[in-house]
Every structure is written in structure tokens, then in C-alpha cells.
Amino acid sequence: MKIFLDTANVEQVKLAASLGVLDGVTTNPSLIAKEGKDFKKTVLEMCKYASNVSAQVTATDFEGMKKQGLEYAKWHKNIVVKVPMTTEGLKAVSFFASKKIRTNVTLVFSVPQAILAAKAGATMISPFIGRLDDIGQDGMQLISDILDVWANYDFKTEVLVASVRHPMHVVEAARLGAHICTIPFDVFDKLPKHPLTDSGVKKFNEDWEKASKKK
Ligand code: E4P
């Protein structure tokens, strides 16, 4: 499973990249607004560390999405144009596919939406599992259902698990065989840690010290 960071913070991207585990980054307008930095500069900086950086269009009509997406795609080859799952968005995805511009269809909440996005030529789709959990629906069930459908066909579109809230979402995404999981930094930060690893390292070092003193 590819690991993406769900952030607009360049320092977090740099750190994850330095661990050798980062396959990409997803940004969205809310994350960009939270950091308060220039959108283009942020995305271009991230492209130094990841070969796959989603930059979201804010237009809601086809012409506007087309204009923004064409501009983003010119900025850097690592940019993936992120498009919302609307009928105008589908038109835009199909247009970008015809121009060989990679797309990430965001705000996917159902299997029919996933199928249409794949047929329109999306490079990846982002089902938002945490937001489904938030309203009392099982987000992971949506991933499982989409992957069941994918097993019947030859869709090239990758399933990117988004709106992740905790490490078990990452585990379940991998167990189901999702292609990608995008992870907020606070969750990513928990993944390498285990108290038994920490106490194990401490004990090994203490034993080593004791043995060295005996010599
Ligand atoms: C995905 O690309 C989105 O940026 C993201 O996962 C949104 O998740 P949220 O529900 O935490 O805002």
C-alpha cells in the first residue's frame, strides 16, 4: 500500500520523506488555508519530496476546473489535479484524462460515484471514510465494497483511502488491499511507535552498559 501524507505543511512532508516511506501528498483547500501559506509555493515545495502531490481545483464548473487544472499541471510533473466528485467534476476528469493529466477524484461517498469516476478516467479516487464514520455509517465498508467491484473489472483507477482518523483505519485499509492511504500527520506520527519497542531498546542499552562496566 502506498503511503501519502494528508497535509499542507511542508515540514511534515520533509520529515516523512526522510524516513523513506512517503509515496505522495494530498492537500485540500481547508488544509492550505490552515497553514496560511501561498498555495503554488507550498505545492511546488512539496513536489521536491514527493512524486505525487494532489492540488485541488476550487472552481465548481467545468470551464473553471479545466482552467485551474491545466494551470496546475503546468507547474510541475508531480502534480495531480484533485477534482470534486460532481457531474462537472466528471466532465473535467474525462477532459484531463484525454490530455494525460493525472487526477484524484475527491469527496467520494458511494460505490456508484466510485464507478463513474473510474469510467471517466480518474487516476485515483478518494473515498472519505472518517466523514462517513462521523455520521454513523461504516466508512471502511465503502472501501471494501469498492474493492469488491474493482475485483470484477480491470479498472486502472487506484483506491485512495482518505479522511483517516486513527491508526486502525490504516491497518484496515492495508488489510482490504487499498492501493493508497492518505494519513494526517498526527496519525502518521503514531505509526512507528510501540511502548515495547521503547522499553526493549532501553533494556538492551542498560544490559550493554552493565556488561561493559564488568570488563
Ligand atoms: C483527502 O484527500 C482529504 O484531504 C482528506 O482526507 C480530508 O479528510 P478530513 O475528513 O479529515 O477533512
Side-chain angles (χ1 to χ4, degrees), residues 168-187:
M168 279 315 290
H169 275 154
V170 180
V171 173
E172 275 307 305
R175 209 199 300 272
L176 291 171
H179 304 92
I180 310 165
C181 187
T182 191
I183 309 172
F185 190 78
D186 63 316
V187 177

Side-chain angles (χ1 to χ4, degrees), residues 39-104:
F39 173 51
K40 183 175 177 181
K41 270 194 202 145
T42 302
V43 167
L44 284 177
E45 193 61 21
M46 286 177 169
C47 286
K48 291 183 189 161
Y49 306 99
S51 59
N52 199 314
V53 178
S54 286
Q56 189 165 333
V57 296
T58 50
T60 51
D61 63 307
F62 168 66
E63 286 302 331
M65 290 181 191
K66 180 175 150 184
K67 190 167 169 250
Q68 286 183 323
L70 284 173
E71 191 197 330
Y72 300 170
K74 267 191 241 148
W75 292 346
H76 200 285
K77 65 176 174 32
N78 293 359
I79 290 175
V80 174
V81 181
K82 202 176 187 189
V83 178
M85 177 52 232
T86 58
T87 46
E88 292 296 289
L90 285 178
K91 262 190 242 173
V93 168
S94 150
F95 167 79
F96 292 130
S98 75
K99 301 283 173 209
K100 303 250 179 303
I101 292 172
R102 293 182 295 168
T103 52
N104 173 358

Side-chain angles (χ1 to χ4, degrees), residues 6 26 28 31 82 128 131 162-163 165 182:
D6 198 22
T26 50
N28 67 42
L31 291 170
K82 202 176 187 189
F128 275 34
R131 292 196 194 184
S163 187
R165 302 270 194 260
T182 191

